[in-house]
Amino acid sequence: MPLEIPEVVIDRLPVYFRTLTRIADEGRTVISSQELGEELDVTPAQIRKDLSYFGRFGKQGRGYSVQRLLGELKDILGLDRRWRVVVVGIGRLGRAVASYPGFEGQGFDIVARYDANPEVIGTNVDGDLVRDVATLESDLRENHAEIGIVTVTASQAQDVVNVLTRGGVRAILNYTPTGIQVPPTVEIKHINPVLFLQSMTYHLKRRIDERDALRG
Amino acid sequence: MPLEIPEVVIDRLPVYFRTLTRIADEGRTVISSQELGEELDVTPAQIRKDLSYFGRFGKQGRGYSVQRLLGELKDILGLDRRWRVVVVGIGRLGRAVASYPGFEGQGFDIVARYDANPEVIGTNVDGDLVRDVATLESDLRENHAEIGIVTVTASQAQDVVNVLTRGGVRAILNYTPTGIQVPPTVEIKHINPVLFLQSMTYHLKRRIDERDALRG
DNA sequence: AAGTGTGAACAAGTTCACAGCC
DNA sequence: GGCTGTGAACTTGTTCACACTT
């Protein structure tokens, strides 16, 4: 791995991985960048360039072995092991996220659930008791987790993230509608449906305005 | 509005809007690109350039009026009206998303909920009956909606999106872990936590590998 | 004096196009 | 012959730096 790899490239690899998994399930064993590009709506050159940051996985004149490529992507992305995940905030969203069946199949084990609400603490969710967020930091010292999913309210978010960070969690998925500060050693990604809707309404508005302009 | 505006710029505007809303709540009336940049962890030049695509909203020597800028962003993003949203798929995630209190306050009204499961159809969710997805297309003809949120299973996703598109929905928020095809007249954004986790594990893995290398 | 708005310089990311290999 | 891997060309996006305005 020569130089620094652009973050956009890293973000595309899981998409390649997902599609290749489907293609493997369909029984295909070899695929060209052209064909994969058609599946993904991406140019073949981009796929080849992206992969070339990590090695030479293809065969000229033939394309890529689907199994080989899946294996390489697994290795590159760290999907050849299991990751321990804690979910903090067991409200409606937290419950839905924690029960999402898609995590386990991809190597993400939800090992503990936390909440601050006494009515929720101690209740059974997915066969495991919800723990008190007050014990999160000490729990993490005994039982490490690499990833934290934060589904608390906006006002609690920064505090919870600080605790996770102090507890050694190094990647955070933030479902909270707030910007959050983390040290540069911690990865963070944000899921905020309102921001998505608001950028889409920009386009909706333009379309509606254009249509009205044509009508006069 | 002169030339074509880059999509990345559009995606940043809602973030500016959110932070400016908070700043207004804190009682500030004027802010410079420098100060706003510090709040957002963005360069001041980027903020000025982004805004300059749409007009000249600042005052030299002073900065931007927070209220004025909020108003302009509202106008640009189409947040000066309400938008009608339907949610399709009332499982755990759909229920959590449909009940999320953050939509209404930002002008997004969830006007109907749909599911295919007979045990769910007709049940009361947030004070409204869940409707049969079979009636979605005809419902949309009578009662238009601009936005669809899709929280069904992966295998149903494309069908549901096709129905929404035929029914005149022009923006889709896809919570399904699948790539989905839409005509170029339809906006789509994808929320897939697994893809986010998988790009973060890339970095986690590197850090762990580096640490192990140092230890020898 | 302070801070915007913006062309120009620079950096990052994408696509082209073709040499090289299967 | 077909398709990869990759420098080079190009395109897109970001930052600089300063003329201009209040």
Side-chain angles (χ1 to χ4, degrees), chain B residues 12 33 62-63 79 97 101 105 112 120 128-129 155 164 171-172 187 194 196 204 206 212 216:
Chain B
R12 280 193 294 265
S33 60
R62 304 215 348 100
L79 309 179
V97 170
V120 174
D128 200 16
L129 299 185
S155 58
L164 288 169
I172 287 170
E187 300 294 317
V194 169
F196 279 166
L204 293 184
R206 306 208 98 200
D212 290 352

Side-chain angles (χ1 to χ4, degrees), chain B residues 33 48 56-58 60-61 64:
Chain B
S33 60
R48 294 203 302 277
R56 303 140 76 80
F57 308 137
Q60 280 106 326
Y64 300 87

Side-chain angles (χ1 to χ4, degrees), chain A residues 75-128:
Chain A
D75 180 47
I76 293 163
L77 291 169
L79 308 179
D80 47 1
R81 53 161 285 182
R82 302 197 72 79
W83 297 93
R84 295 170 59 87
V85 181
V86 296
V87 177
V88 188
I90 306 299
R92 239 187 305 232
L93 179 61
R95 239 173 274 259
V97 170
S99 314
Y100 175 57
F103 290 131
E104 202 178 311
Q106 297 299 325
F108 298 100
D109 293 320
I110 296 180
V111 296
R113 294 149 191 80
Y114 288 88
D115 205 285
N117 182 346
E119 295 191 6
V120 174
I121 295 165
T123 60
N124 192 315
V125 171
D126 298 317
D128 200 16

Side-chain angles (χ1 to χ4, degrees), chain B residues 17-210:
Chain B
F17 182 79
R18 179 179 69 181
T19 298
L20 284 164
T21 303
R22 202 194 68 228
I23 284 166
D25 287 349
E26 291 167 8
R28 301 187 64 179
T29 58
V30 172
I31 194 161
S32 66
S33 60
Q34 172 74 45
E35 294 164 321
L36 185 54
E38 281 163 18
E39 297 274 353
L40 286 161
D41 222 359
V42 159
T43 66
Q46 177 151 95
I47 291 170
R48 294 203 302 277
K49 178 68 102 179
D50 285 352
L51 295 174
S52 78
Y53 283 107
F54 303 97
R56 303 140 76 80
F57 308 137
K59 290 224 189 311
Q60 280 106 326
R62 304 215 348 100
Y64 300 87
S65 152
V66 175
Q67 283 309 321
R68 163 92 195 276
L69 205 42
L70 278 170
E72 297 287 354
L73 287 171
K74 246 186 192 152
D75 181 45
I76 294 163
L77 291 170
L79 309 179
D80 47 359
R81 53 162 285 181
R82 304 197 69 81
W83 296 93
R84 296 170 58 86
V85 181
V86 295
V87 177
V88 187
I90 307 299
R92 238 187 304 231
L93 179 61
R95 238 174 274 260
V97 170
S99 316
Y100 175 57
F103 290 131
E104 202 179 308
Q106 297 299 325
F108 299 100
D109 293 320
I110 296 180
V111 296
R113 294 149 191 79
Y114 289 86
D115 205 284
N117 182 346
E119 296 191 3
V120 174
I121 295 164
T123 61
N124 191 315
V125 170
D126 297 318
D128 200 16
L129 299 185
V130 176
R131 306 172 72 89
D132 188 339
V133 73
T135 69
L136 173 55
E137 193 169 348
S138 58
D139 284 2
L140 284 171
R141 273 197 288 272
E142 279 165 42
N143 255 309
H144 187 60
E146 293 87 21
I147 299 172
I149 297 182
V150 180
T151 43
V152 297
T153 58
S155 58
Q156 303 169 293
Q158 184 68 61
D159 285 351
V160 164
V161 166
N162 294 349
V163 170
L164 288 169
T165 301
R166 283 201 301 274
V169 165
R170 287 293 167 265
I172 287 170
L173 190 55
N174 170 36
Y175 276 85
T176 282
T178 333
I180 275 183
Q181 302 299 318
V182 288
T185 51
V186 175
E187 300 294 317
I188 186 160
K189 297 269 186 185
H190 306 272
I191 291 183
N192 184 339
V194 169
L195 299 185
F196 279 166
L197 293 181
Q198 289 176 333
S199 61
M200 292 198 289
T201 54
Y202 166 83
H203 297 286
L204 293 184
K205 185 190 166 115
R206 306 208 98 200
R207 249 172 240 142
I208 290 165
D209 287 353
E210 278 162 24

Side-chain angles (χ1 to χ4, degrees), chain A residues 206, chain B residues 1-5 53:
Chain A
R206 307 208 99 201
Chain B
M1 268 165 259
L3 57 183
E4 202 48 48
I5 291 143
Y53 283 107

